[in-house]
Amino acid sequence: MPDTTLTPPLAAAPIEDRAGALSPRAPLTAAPAAEAALLVAWARDEDEVREAQRLRHEVFAGEMGARLEVPAGTPPGLDVDRYDAFCEHLLVRAPGEADEPGPVVGTYRVMTPAAAARAGGLYSDNEFDLGPLTPLRATMVELGRSCVHPDWRSGGVVMALWGALAAFMVRNGLETMVGCASVGMRDGGHAAASLWRRLEATHLAAPEWRVTPRLALPVDELRQDLPVDAPPLLKGYLRCGARVLGAPAWDPDFKTADLPVMLRLADLPARYRRHFIGA
């Protein structure tokens, strides 16, 4: 599940807290001052969800060469799967012209605990045995299908997304985020295996939270000594206090190695808490 880490033609469901009560949607808010013209908001209808799916297709299929399996009848040029209809879709828009909204240049897909129950589980359940996380599920969201348009990868879009996500978590009484940090496998997986070995020594979660891949990357058959740096998004997660939950899964369709990652709001360093949630 790429995150560069996760529809039938339906609008996104309302935002819910852990009790299933509706929570007010976030209004349009500006991104950080460096890119103040960006706007971030939750998708409100099918057309806006389609915009996110179109950007995802452009990045995942067009740029990364992913093999996307979409439901029958899906219009061309969209990345769609069965989980989209259950999720909230967070959008960042570039500046528009006159009264017209700008194009979507960044997106995240967010699945709440109530939505996961309706969907029969998380997308990540397909890649990992998440049994050890059962005690956290009542206040745990899954982040997925994160991507940013190649012309807007200076950092402002991701900061706008993260700010809205943090506010969403606080507003809905949620405490934990999980998802997959994807590493490309153009080199056959050697970089991913090397990165895992480094993170295993520095950022591995406590034993009680560790999960198992269903289709494991064959790390022992790959080089594990390359001087690999973490991808920018994963590096950002780690700076915010995220932990890697175990060895990477291999996703043949997206041609990535997926590292399971967990971030708890309680683990946010003080400076990030102040920046994202003002606490």
Side-chain angles (χ1 to χ4, degrees):
M1 178 179 67
D3 70 359
T4 60
T5 112
L6 260 170
T7 303
L10 298 173
I15 296 174
E16 297 180 356
D17 64 17
R18 55 187 162 182
L22 297 185
S23 173
R25 287 187 179 277
L28 289 177
T29 52
E35 297 191 53
L38 294 173
L39 295 176
V40 56
W42 297 94
R44 298 172 183 271
D45 55 36
E46 178 185 344
D47 289 341
E48 291 188 333
V49 174
R50 290 297 196 217
E51 290 184 81
Q53 293 167 336
R54 191 170 296 112
L55 174 63
R56 285 161 30 183
H57 188 279
E58 179 180 343
V59 172
F60 300 146
E63 184 177 344
M64 297 173 54
R67 184 175 66 249
L68 302 175
E69 296 184 5
V70 300
T74 298
L78 300 179
D79 168 40
V80 179
D81 72 9
R82 80 173 192 86
Y83 295 94
D84 277 333
F86 299 96
C87 292
E88 299 295 331
H89 299 264
L90 185 57
L91 314 176
V92 173
R93 292 186 181 277
E97 296 183 2
D99 294 330
E100 295 297 317
V104 172
V105 296
T107 185
Y108 255 115
R109 186 171 82 178
V110 182
M111 183 176 285
T112 65
R118 293 195 301 270
L122 303 172
Y123 179 100
S124 299
D125 284 311
N126 298 303
E127 290 198 85
F128 298 93
D129 177 359
L130 299 181
L133 303 186
T134 298
L136 304 177
R137 287 201 184 228
T139 57
M140 185 176 81
V141 301
E142 180 186 57
L143 309 181
R145 288 300 206 266
S146 172
C147 64
V148 176
H149 189 281
D151 294 341
W152 290 84
R153 292 178 183 166
S154 62
V157 171
V158 170
M159 293 299 284
L161 288 165
W162 285 3
L165 285 168
F168 167 85
M169 297 285 289
V170 172
R171 188 171 63 249
N172 288 283
L174 301 164
E175 300 172 356
T176 303
M177 293 175 271
V178 297
C180 296
S182 298
V183 182
M185 291 185 55
R186 288 191 175 94
D187 70 342
H190 301 290
S194 297
L195 179 60
W196 155 241
R197 286 306 186 203
R198 180 164 69 80
L199 296 179
E200 182 184 23
T202 59
H203 289 85
L204 190 61
E208 62 266 28
W209 305 129
R210 293 178 195 170
V211 304
T212 305
R214 300 192 186 280
L215 178 60
L217 183 72
V219 172
D220 291 340
E221 300 174 17
L222 300 168
R223 288 193 61 179
Q224 303 168 37
D225 59 349
L226 299 178
V228 179
D229 200 11
L233 195 59
L234 175 56
K235 190 181 297 184
Y237 289 153
L238 298 176
R239 282 199 298 265
C240 288
R243 290 286 163 178
V244 178
L245 299 174
W250 175 25
D251 187 334
D253 290 338
F254 279 91
K255 303 176 184 177
T256 59
D258 292 342
L259 285 163
V261 176
M262 178 175 73
L263 174 60
R264 308 189 73 183
L265 288 187
D267 295 332
L268 273 176
R271 64 188 179 112
Y272 289 111
R273 290 185 66 83
R274 289 192 298 269
H275 182 80
F276 290 124
I277 60 180

